[in-house]
Amino acid sequence: MVKVWAIVRVELTRLLRDRSNLFFVFLFPLLLIVFIGAQFGSDFSTRLGVVADAGDAEAASLIAALDDLEGITTVAFDSREELADEVDRGRISAGVVLPDGYGDALRAVEPVEVVFLGRPDATSASLQALVGAALAEQVLPGAAATLLVSGRAAVGAPPVEAAELREVALAVEDQASRIEVSATTLGVDELAEEFAGLGQFDIGASSQLFLFTFLTSLTGAGALIQTRQYGVATRMLSTPTSTFSVLLGTGGGRLAIALFQAVYIVVISTVAFGVNWGDPLGATAVILLFAVGAAAAAMVVGSVFSTDSQAAGAGIGIGLGAAALGGSMVPIELYPETVAQVARITPHFWANEAMAELVRRDGTIVDILPQLAALGGFAVALVALGSWTLSRALVR
Amino acid sequence: MGAVLRCSGLRKAFGDIQAVDDVGFEIAPGETYGLLGPNGAGKTTSISMIAGLLHPDAGEIEVLGTRMTPRALDAKAAVGLVPQDLAIYPDLTARENLHFFGRLQHMSRHDVRARSDEILEVIGLRERSDDRAGEFSGGMKRRLNIGIGLLHQPRLLILDEPTVGVDPQSRNAILESVEALAVEGLAVLYTTHYMEEAERLCRRIAIVDQGRIVAEGTRRELIDTISEQDIVRLKVAGDVHAAAVACDALPSVSSADAEDDEVVCLLDQAASSLPALLAAVSSVDASVVGVEVREPDLEDVFLYLTGRALRD
C-alpha cells in the first residue's frame, strides 16, 4: 500500500500544482452553483407573497406581523395574477391578497374578504393557518377597542361593566365572523411541484457536483498520458512494484482527484450556501459510486489516447456531453420523454435521480437502491475497462 | 565472486523484425560492461528485457542468481535503471522525484530522506533540490535521471545512452560518476553509440548490430580481431633509405618505405614491434627522432565487422 499511496499522492500533488486547475477545480464550480442558484431567486421555501394597498396602515401592520413570524418572509406583489403565477411556479410558497380598503373595512366593522392563494401541500396548509391567526390577532383588539370607545361615548365614560364586556365580546365575535379568508388552491405545475421546498442552491449544487467531478476526472486524464510520455510509467515498472500496484495507484489517484472535487463542492456549498444534500448515508453512497465511475472513465481516456491534448479534448467533450444528457445542466424533467430515456446511458442521470430522491423527496438510502445499483454497474464496467486499457497502455 | 548479471540466448521479435537475436553476456561486480552499437541495434530492447520490462521470446536472465521476469520483484530490487529518455516528473522538484521513486523501491521515509540528500550531493543538485525538474538544464535533468537509478543502492546499474543530448561538461561529470561507481563495486551495464565512452569506461565491450553481438571482449581484444595493420611513421635522423631497408627486413613488417625524412612502415602489432623497429634504425647509423603510431579503434572494428560506420 505504501507504493500505491505514493502514486496517489503524486497524482494529487500534480493536480494541485497545475495552476489552470485552480480555476476549473475550485472557482468555476462555485460560479456555476451561484449562477444556477440565482436563476431560482433567494430562499423561497417559506416566502409568502402579499398583495396589499401600500398606503393602508392596517395592511402594513398585518404584513409586519406576518414578517415577524419565525421562518416567514413576505414578498410584495402588485397584482393577484402576478402572485398567483409565482405560487403556481413554486417560487413562492403561498400568497395573501388583502382587498383595497382593508383598513377602512376593519375600522368600520364591515365584512372583509382576504384571499389566500396556496398549493396542495403541507407548507401551504401551515401558512394558511398562520395567516388566519395573524388576521384574528389584528382584528380582534381593533374591534374591541372600537366597541369600547363607542360605548364610553354613549354613557359618558363610565367604568366598564360586566354586561358591557359581554357586549364587547359578542361584537368581537361578530367582527371576526365578518373576515372571510377564502383559500384558493392553484393548479399544480409538475415541475414546480418537483422543485418545491428546495433551497436556492440545492438544485444547482448536486447537478454541478456530478458535472465537475466527471469533467475534472476526464480532463485530468492527460496526466496519465504524460506519465507514459515522460517514461515514468516504464520506470515505475522497472522498480519492485507490480503492474497491479501501478494500476491501483494510478486508478486510486484518479479516484482521489474525483473525490477531492466532489468533497470540495459538498463542503463549500454546504458552508457557503447552506445546500441540503439529503440523507448523508445516501448522498455519500451516490457520490462515492459516481466518483469511482468517473475515475475509471478517466483511466479509459488516459489509456486510449496518445497525447494529453487529445485526452483533454475528448475529456471536455465527453464530460460536458454526458452532463448535458444526464441532467446536470438542465433538469431531466424538462426533457422530452425519448431524450429522458436515452439519458439513462449516463451515470449522471442515475446520480441526479438519486439526489432528487434524497433532496427533493426526503428519501433515504433505501429509496435510492435502484439508482445505486445502476451507478454500481457503471463503476464496475468502467473499472474493468479502464484497468484493461491502462494495463495494455503501460506496457506498450 | 559470481556474476551480478548473467544472460544467455536472449531473443525478442516485434512482428517480422528480430530486434534481439541470441544475445548473451555476464557482468561481474565492479565491472562496467558496454553495449556498443548504432541506434536501432537492439541495445534498448536488450536492456528492457534485462530490467524486467519485457518478456524475452527466448533466453534466460539472472540477476544475482534470481531469474528476471516482469514479475520478479526481488530481482528488480537489485537493478537501477537509467532510461535513455528522461524518466522524471518535470512538475515535481528534484527531491520529490527522488522521494517518489524511493518509495516505489520500498525504502522507508527516513531512508529515502537520508539517501536523497546523499544523491543530491553526488549529482550536484543539492542547491536546486527544491526546484522543479522542468526548470533544469538538459544536463541537470540527466543527472537527476541517473540519481534516481542510484537512489536505492542497486547492485546492477543499467545506463541506457546516458549522455545523449548532454553538454560536454555534464557529459564528463556523468562519465566520472560511472567510473567512481565501478570502483565502488557496482556492476554497470552501459549502452552507447559513442565509441570514446565505451573505450573510456568499459572493461569489456559487446559490439551489437541488428540485434546480434558481433564481437565481444576487451578493447584490445576487439581491435585485435581485425586484420587491419598499423601504420608507424618514424622520423629519422641519418640515412633514411638504409633505415627503411633495415625495417623492411623485420618479419613483422609487411613493408617499409622512405618518404623524405621518414620511414613509413606497415606492420602487424605496432606496439610490440616498436622496439625492434627502433633497434633496426639504430643498427644503420641513424636515429629515430619522432614516432607516430596510428592503431585501429573501435570505430574501425565496427566498420570491419559490419561494413557500416558506427553512427550510420
Side-chain angles (χ1 to χ4, degrees):
Chain A
M1 282 309 289
V2 169
K3 296 172 184 177
V4 172
W5 174 238
I7 299 170
V8 170
R9 192 174 157 192
V10 160
E11 294 279 339
L12 268 178
T13 303
R14 297 185 65 220
L15 170 84
L16 297 176
R17 202 158 280 181
D18 185 345
R19 285 184 187 167
S20 63
N21 286 330
L22 294 179
F23 178 74
F24 288 106
V25 174
F26 294 102
L27 200 55
F28 198 40
L30 291 188
L31 290 176
L32 275 187
I33 290 170
V34 171
F35 177 75
I36 291 171
Q39 304 303 302
F40 285 87
S42 60
D43 183 8
F44 57 83
S45 58
T46 52
R47 294 202 308 167
L48 179 68
V50 179
V51 177
D53 181 356
D56 189 326
E58 297 296 337
S61 171
L62 177 66
I63 293 168
L66 290 169
D67 258 332
D68 286 343
L69 293 174
E70 191 178 345
I72 292 182
T73 304
T74 61
V75 180
F77 284 86
D78 292 332
S79 69
R80 172 178 170 153
E81 290 70 28
E82 190 186 343
L83 173 59
D85 186 48
E86 291 297 291
V87 174
D88 198 28
R89 295 165 68 104
R91 292 176 179 167
I92 295 289
S93 300
V96 177
V97 182
L98 301 178
D100 287 342
Y102 169 78
D104 294 341
L106 284 188
R107 282 189 290 275
V109 198
E110 291 174 353
V112 178
E113 185 186 3
V114 176
V115 176
F116 182 85
L117 303 174
R119 298 157 44 79
D121 57 24
T123 306
S124 282
S126 306
L127 284 172
Q128 186 179 347
L130 289 171
V131 169
L135 278 166
E137 212 168 285
Q138 183 187 38
V139 164
L140 295 182
T146 301
L147 289 170
L148 281 172
V149 168
S150 63
R152 282 199 178 93
V155 297
V160 179
E161 298 293 334
E164 212 174 352
L165 282 175
R166 195 179 310 116
E167 193 179 345
V168 167
L170 289 171
V172 167
E173 190 179 342
D174 181 48
Q175 171 64 359
S177 68
R178 292 168 195 269
I179 300 173
E180 184 187 342
V181 179
S182 62
T184 303
T185 301
L186 300 170
V188 178
D189 179 285
E190 282 187 12
L191 187 61
E193 175 76 356
E194 180 63 33
F195 295 109
L198 290 180
Q200 179 185 5
F201 300 104
D202 289 357
I203 297 171
S206 61
S207 59
Q208 295 313 297
L209 181 145
F210 300 126
L211 187 158
F212 277 99
T213 299
F214 206 73
L215 191 62
T216 301
S217 294
L218 261 57
T219 52
L224 292 180
I225 294 168
Q226 288 174 347
T227 299
R228 295 206 309 274
Q229 286 177 333
Y230 294 157
V232 172
T234 304
R235 193 168 208 163
M236 281 189 216
L237 293 173
S238 77
T239 68
T241 306
S242 66
T243 307
F244 179 71
S245 292
V246 174
L247 276 177
L248 207 58
T250 309
R254 297 294 100 199
L255 179 60
I257 288 167
L259 285 175
F260 180 87
Q261 177 72 88
V263 169
Y264 169 76
I265 291 176
V266 169
V267 170
I268 206 78
S269 64
T270 304
V271 171
F273 308 119
V275 167
N276 168 30
W277 291 92
D279 173 37
L281 189 61
T284 302
V286 172
I287 291 170
L288 197 57
L289 283 174
F290 185 85
V292 170
M299 288 168 69
V300 176
V301 170
S303 306
V304 299
F305 292 101
S306 307
T307 66
D308 50 350
S309 56
Q310 284 175 348
I316 291 170
I318 296 169
L320 292 180
L325 183 60
S328 281
M329 291 185 182
V330 177
I332 206 82
E333 289 78 5
L334 292 179
Y335 287 176
E337 184 55 28
T338 313
V339 179
Q341 289 296 323
V342 175
R344 291 166 181 268
I345 64 170
T346 68
H348 299 66
F349 171 86
W350 299 99
N352 282 318
E353 281 287 294
M355 290 309 292
E357 190 64 37
L358 294 177
V359 176
R360 298 179 207 162
R361 299 187 275 278
D362 294 328
T364 66
I365 191 168
V366 176
D367 300 313
I368 58 168
L369 287 177
Q371 290 89 344
L372 290 179
L375 286 172
F378 274 107
V380 169
L382 287 169
V383 166
L385 183 62
S387 302
W388 180 66
T389 53
L390 186 58
S391 61
R392 285 172 60 88
L394 282 175
V395 297
R396 262 208 298 264
Chain B
M1 196 179 286
V4 175
L5 172 69
R6 182 175 287 125
C7 56
S8 60
L10 290 183
R11 291 178 191 276
K12 186 70 186 177
F14 299 104
D16 294 334
I17 298 169
Q18 190 68 42
V20 174
D21 188 6
D22 197 25
V23 166
F25 54 87
E26 293 183 8
I27 306 179
E31 181 183 19
T32 299
Y33 186 92
L35 286 180
L36 178 68
N39 292 327
K43 303 188 299 291
T44 299
T45 303
S46 298
I47 276 180
S48 295
M49 290 188 284
I50 291 165
L53 294 170
L54 271 181
H55 260 303
D57 295 338
E60 293 287 330
I61 304 162
E62 281 185 8
V63 175
L64 296 171
T66 303
R67 187 161 177 259
M68 174 62 89
T69 69
R71 290 172 186 266
L73 303 188
D74 288 345
K76 285 184 176 181
V79 177
L81 174 66
V82 179
Q84 179 176 354
D85 295 324
L86 294 170
I88 55 177
Y89 277 123
D91 39 7
L92 298 186
T93 67
R95 189 182 294 280
E96 286 171 336
N97 270 292
L98 288 167
H99 189 274
F100 172 61
F101 284 105
R103 296 297 275 168
L104 293 189
Q105 292 288 357
H106 220 64
M107 296 170 72
S108 69
R109 284 180 192 283
H110 176 266
D111 287 350
V112 169
R113 210 171 294 127
R115 183 72 181 142
S116 293
D117 285 339
E118 289 175 27
I119 291 292
L120 286 165
E121 195 72 52
V122 168
I123 60 179
L125 292 177
R126 179 96 182 196
E127 302 299 315
R128 303 289 304 271
S129 62
D130 294 322
D131 291 346
R132 294 187 193 183
E135 299 167 1
F136 289 172
S137 68
M140 292 163 77
K141 288 176 186 170
R142 283 276 165 203
R143 282 184 270 149
L144 176 59
N145 199 37
I146 293 173
I148 291 168
L150 290 169
L151 184 69
H152 61 295
Q153 296 179 299
R155 299 287 301 280
L156 170 66
L157 181 66
I158 301 175
L159 293 158
D160 190 7
E161 306 261 12
T163 59
V164 170
V166 170
D167 61 90
Q169 192 181 351
S170 292
R171 184 183 186 191
N172 197 48
I174 289 169
L175 297 182
E176 283 177 1
S177 299
V178 175
E179 286 170 329
L181 291 167
V183 169
E184 290 171 14
L186 188 67
V188 179
L189 174 57
Y190 193 98
T191 80
T192 183
H193 63 271
Y194 294 125
M195 174 202 67
E196 321 84 67
E197 290 183 8
E199 286 188 330
R200 173 174 166 179
L201 294 176
C202 304
R203 197 166 79 194
R204 287 186 303 135
I205 300 161
I207 294 180
V208 185
D209 186 50
Q210 296 182 331
R212 297 182 63 87
I213 292 180
V214 293
E216 187 205 38
T218 63
R219 175 183 169 279
R220 181 73 260 166
E221 288 167 347
L222 288 170
I223 289 172
D224 286 347
T225 59
I226 66 174
S227 59
E228 185 175 315
Q229 293 174 306
D230 295 331
I231 295 170
V232 178
R233 285 179 177 272
L234 302 174
K235 193 175 176 68
V236 174
D239 190 343
V240 177
H241 291 282
V245 171
C247 290
D248 201 22
L250 292 172
S252 61
V253 177
S254 302
S255 65
D257 299 300
E259 286 184 11
D260 300 330
D261 59 346
E262 289 183 342
V263 177
V264 180
C265 305
L266 183 63
L267 73 170
D268 295 327
Q269 305 292 333
S272 57
S273 300
L274 206 52
L277 280 177
L278 297 177
V281 172
S282 299
S283 68
V284 294
D285 252 2
S287 60
V288 175
V289 294
V291 179
E292 181 190 323
V293 180
R294 181 186 166 276
E295 69 172 7
D297 55 22
L298 291 176
E299 185 87 42
D300 298 312
V301 176
F302 189 83
L303 185 65
Y304 173 79
L305 292 172
T306 68
R308 291 181 292 112
L310 196 53
R311 289 166 205 180
D312 278 354

